[in-house]
């Protein structure tokens, strides 16, 4: 699977799923729900970068196995975060390797994923400039891997009402400076579920090539990032609005 086949040049790619894989049943049922709503890919973290070392750190290998089961059950390609070079060999069955915001400048990891033949979704760090972001992408490209997807996931600004601020201007600024596809993650960018749909629509209107959205069937009991997760029905409504918006803008 090459990025050219599923993102950019009119292909709008929606990646959806829980922040973290919690059980086989959880990830399979969410995978079915997001697929039915029209998502093209499934997300789910097995290795989780948490601010506190006492928070749930992910199911690790077991989580990747459940993600594989969800991929087999639905046919959806899967996206999952790799946090270190040592774990990279475990990502054989993961279709897109996510490099998280915290690892945007982990140059050894960037070089290692650059040596793979897999698409890499690189998230922008919370306080990094677009030039730094693009230089990190360059580390992957320089190793011969041209399949890089940039993900704007919110930056830290002086206002702390919500988790972050989606830098939607980054979409067109990045498109001006690179041919790489740019997606927006309104879930981490806001941290609160009710603000996710408007920012997702705004990102699509701003020209993003896709979105990454956290969806959970029981957000109140989620082990990670429940406050920003959309329920499947809310996600379905958003997908319908996105279809209408893209049609009105003649993108689809
Ligand atoms: C995530 O996608 O769950 C995640 C941890 O994202 P970020 O690296 O943007 O914080
Ligand atoms: Mn998350």
């Amino acid at each position: 699977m090459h990025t050219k086949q599923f993102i950019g040049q009119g292909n709008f790619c929606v990646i959806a799923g829980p922040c973290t894989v919690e059980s086989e049943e959880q990830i399979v049922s969410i995978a079915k729900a997001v697929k039915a709503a029209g998502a093209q890919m499934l997300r789910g973290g097995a290795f989780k970068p948490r601010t506190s070392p006492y928070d749930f750190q992910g199911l690790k290998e077991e989580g990747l196995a459940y993600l594989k089961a969800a991929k087999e059950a639905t046919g959806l390609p899967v996206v999952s975060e790799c946090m270190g070079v040592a774990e990279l060999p475990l990502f054989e069955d993961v279709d897109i390797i996510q490099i998280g915001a915290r690892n945007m400048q982990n140059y050894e990891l960037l070089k290692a994923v650059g040596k793979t033949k897999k698409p890499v979704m690189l998230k922008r760090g919370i306080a990094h400039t677009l030039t730094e972001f693009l230089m990190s992408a360059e580390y992957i490209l320089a190793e011969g891997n041209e399949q890089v997807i940039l993900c704007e996931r919110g930056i830290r600004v002086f206002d702390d009402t919500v988790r972050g601020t989606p830098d939607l201007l980054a979409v067109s600024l990045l498109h001006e400076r690179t041919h790489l596809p740019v997606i927006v993650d309104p879930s981490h960018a806001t941290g609160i579920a009710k603000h996710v749909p408007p920012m997702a629509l705004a990102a699509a209107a701003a020209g993003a090539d896709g979105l990454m959205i956290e969806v959970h069937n029981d957000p109140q009991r989620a082990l990670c990032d429940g406050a920003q997760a959309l329920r499947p029905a809310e996600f379905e409504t958003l997908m319908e609005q996105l279809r209408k918006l893209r049609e009105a803008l003649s993108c689809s």
Side-chain angles (χ1 to χ4, degrees):
M1 196 184 60
H2 193 283
T3 46
K4 284 188 183 131
Q5 295 165 287
F6 64 87
I7 190 161
Q9 248 96 57
N11 281 329
F12 190 76
C13 180
V14 178
I15 304 166
C19 181
T20 188
V21 179
E22 298 172 11
S23 67
E24 182 167 344
E25 195 197 358
Q26 175 244 20
I27 190 72
V28 171
S29 78
I30 297 174
K32 287 181 178 163
V34 299
K35 183 180 182 180
Q40 282 78 25
M41 295 199 190
L42 176 69
R43 65 151 286 147
F47 294 85
K48 294 305 302 174
R50 304 305 298 277
T51 302
S52 164
Y54 308 113
D55 285 339
F56 179 65
Q57 302 285 309
L59 291 179
K60 306 194 167 71
E61 263 189 277
E62 191 186 345
L64 290 177
Y66 297 155
L67 201 56
K68 187 178 175 195
K71 170 176 161 170
E72 283 165 2
T74 58
L76 288 180
V78 295
V79 183
S80 202
E81 176 166 356
C82 179
M83 284 170 51
V85 177
E87 288 82 46
L88 199 50
L90 302 173
F91 283 66
E92 193 73 14
D93 295 313
V94 170
D95 300 282
I96 300 187
I97 298 174
Q98 173 174 327
I99 302 297
R102 293 159 180 89
N103 269 318
M104 190 199 88
Q105 287 186 326
N106 181 338
Y107 300 124
E108 291 310 311
L109 183 58
L110 298 175
K111 285 190 268 183
V113 294
K115 290 190 176 78
T116 71
K117 304 257 179 298
K118 284 182 190 283
V120 177
M121 190 187 72
L122 177 65
K123 298 188 91 173
R124 181 183 180 185
I126 61 168
H128 287 100
T129 65
L130 295 181
T131 300
E132 288 164 337
F133 191 19
L134 287 169
M135 280 302 149
S136 291
E138 209 61 41
Y139 265 89
I140 303 168
L141 300 169
E143 295 296 330
N145 188 349
E146 56 172 19
Q147 301 192 71
V148 180
I149 300 164
L150 300 171
C151 179
E152 158 56 39
R153 49 78 72 211
I155 51 172
R156 184 161 287 179
V157 295
F158 57 85
D159 188 273
D160 61 358
T161 310
V162 294
R163 189 170 181 175
T165 287
D167 179 8
L168 298 181
L169 180 58
V171 175
S172 40
L173 291 175
L174 287 167
H175 277 151
E176 221 169 54
R177 290 173 66 177
T178 175
H179 65 284
L180 297 172
V182 181
I183 69 168
V184 171
D185 168 355
S187 305
H188 292 87
T190 62
I192 300 173
K194 78 169 174 197
H195 300 304
V196 169
M199 290 301 101
L201 293 164
D209 299 295
L211 293 165
M212 185 157 87
I213 296 176
E214 288 190 345
V215 177
H216 199 287
N217 47 5
D218 191 0
Q220 278 175 337
R221 270 191 274 264
L223 295 181
C224 185
D225 285 349
Q228 68 195 29
L230 296 187
R231 291 183 171 80
E234 294 165 331
F235 177 67
E236 203 182 320
T237 304
L238 171 60
M239 288 297 281
E240 195 46 45
Q241 291 171 331
L242 279 166
R243 266 190 289 274
K244 287 184 190 148
L245 175 74
R246 289 182 35 80
E247 209 177 286
L249 295 175
S250 305
C251 314
S252 55

